[in-house]
Amino acid sequence: MDTARLFRLDGRVALITGGSRGIGRMIAEGFIAQGAKVYITSRKVADCEATASELGENCIALPHDISTVEGCRSLAALLAEREERLDILVNNAGAAWGVPFEEFDEQGWDKVMDLNLKSPFFLTQALHGLLKAAGSAQQPAKVINISSIDGQRLNPWDTYSYHASKAGLIYLTKRMAARLIRDFINVTSIAPGAFASRMNKAARDHGDQVAKAIPAGRIGSDEDMAAAAIYLASRAGDYVVGETITVDGGLVNAALGSSIDPDV
């Protein structure tokens, strides 16, 4: 058993949406360190190109807006001009919207649901041919959806469409996995907890305070996120299908709830 290469990604081609910052960038950096050629995409051209420059020659910027079905298909066409196959797709691009229940509007609902739930489906559909070209029984292609612990538990904020989109993405992962496994494409999901990013400003700006509620006693690091993604993308994760891996320091599955003392 050659365990030295279980987590290597040499020669593989990856596409990471929302790859210019936050969790997407963490994953991109990890994939590159393991030998992959990584395309990153985001709608902000300058950010995308700056990150690609910082991560080196094996990181290629492919700026694009994938908030619509047309955008997903257009990005797939651009990638097909450059590559004959796609080994790994990470559906990471996302949005959040927090407004009190009484004021929550259709714009906030649609923006979040479109990018967080609809785009992962239609981008995967648009890239199906390239993923099939990469997949085999010996080395399946991989689709990794970045969901959230907010799809598994409630947070205290008024993020109604975010909760719904991430819960939906976890179940969509299972349904897509059931269909795409026949094409040697494994679909899985990662549900991150508190990682410092523009989207998670609480973890970014108040990490020590946020850490007090986490059983592990800290927020997530870049390495924590990269490691989970590398595991699923590499040979190490080839027998994992349809699963959501929760990477949150124990908040969902190892945190004790509070109770009322009956003697009080």
Side-chain angles (χ1 to χ4, degrees):
M1 183 182 293
D2 180 10
T3 60
R5 301 196 60 79
L6 277 180
F7 299 93
R8 294 296 303 175
L9 297 171
D10 301 289
R12 302 198 196 187
V13 177
L15 171 65
I16 302 173
T17 69
S20 66
R21 57 185 174 88
I23 284 172
R25 180 183 173 130
M26 297 174 198
I27 294 172
E29 188 170 0
F31 282 2
I32 291 165
Q34 291 301 102
K37 177 182 181 182
V38 177
Y39 289 87
I40 59 170
T41 185
S42 71
R43 61 184 179 83
K44 295 183 178 180
V45 176
D47 289 353
C48 199
E49 292 179 346
T51 296
S53 178
E54 291 167 7
L55 294 184
E57 62 181 2
N58 284 330
C59 188
I60 301 99
L62 207 61
H64 216 71
D65 183 354
I66 59 165
S67 61
T68 65
V69 175
E70 180 183 358
C72 291
R73 292 172 178 167
S74 177
L75 175 60
L78 286 175
L79 185 66
E81 293 174 0
R82 295 162 171 78
E83 302 291 342
E84 296 180 352
R85 73 178 202 283
L86 178 64
D87 299 282
I88 308 158
L89 168 62
V90 180
N91 287 310
N92 167 70
W97 193 274
V99 177
F101 176 77
E102 296 83 357
E103 303 168 21
F104 208 96
D105 58 19
E106 186 178 12
Q107 178 188 1
W109 184 269
D110 289 348
K111 176 182 178 180
V112 172
M113 294 295 284
D114 285 352
L115 188 57
N116 293 6
L117 186 57
K118 187 165 77 172
S119 289
F121 178 84
F122 284 101
L123 182 58
T124 304
Q125 182 191 67
L127 291 166
H128 188 206
L130 290 180
L131 289 163
K132 282 201 298 183
S136 68
Q138 295 73 35
Q139 184 176 295
K142 305 293 180 68
V143 176
I144 304 171
N145 296 322
I146 305 302
S147 54
S148 170
I149 62 169
D150 288 348
Q152 301 171 311
R153 65 187 291 276
L154 295 177
N155 70 44
W157 303 297
D158 291 310
T159 53
Y160 301 98
S161 52
Y162 188 79
H163 273 300
S165 68
K166 293 302 185 179
L169 186 57
I170 289 171
Y171 212 88
L172 179 62
T173 294
K174 295 176 181 290
R175 186 61 187 91
M176 290 171 65
R179 165 60 184 87
L180 295 182
I181 188 66
R182 73 178 73 163
D183 297 322
F184 304 112
I185 302 168
N186 290 6
V187 185
T188 56
S189 165
I190 297 173
F195 285 81
S197 68
R198 291 185 193 175
M199 186 175 292
N200 193 334
K201 295 179 181 178
R204 183 192 68 185
D205 300 337
H206 308 285
D208 291 343
Q209 186 66 29
V210 171
K212 293 178 181 179
I214 300 172
R218 64 176 178 84
I219 65 170
S221 69
D222 292 9
E223 290 84 357
D224 293 323
M225 182 50 54
I230 291 167
Y231 164 64
L232 291 174
S234 67
R235 168 65 185 91
D238 280 359
Y239 209 53
V240 181
V241 181
E243 183 62 82
T244 293
I245 296 181
T246 304
V247 185
D248 71 342
L251 192 57
V252 168
N253 295 311
L256 296 174
S258 59
S259 62
I260 298 174
D261 189 336
D263 296 326
V264 174

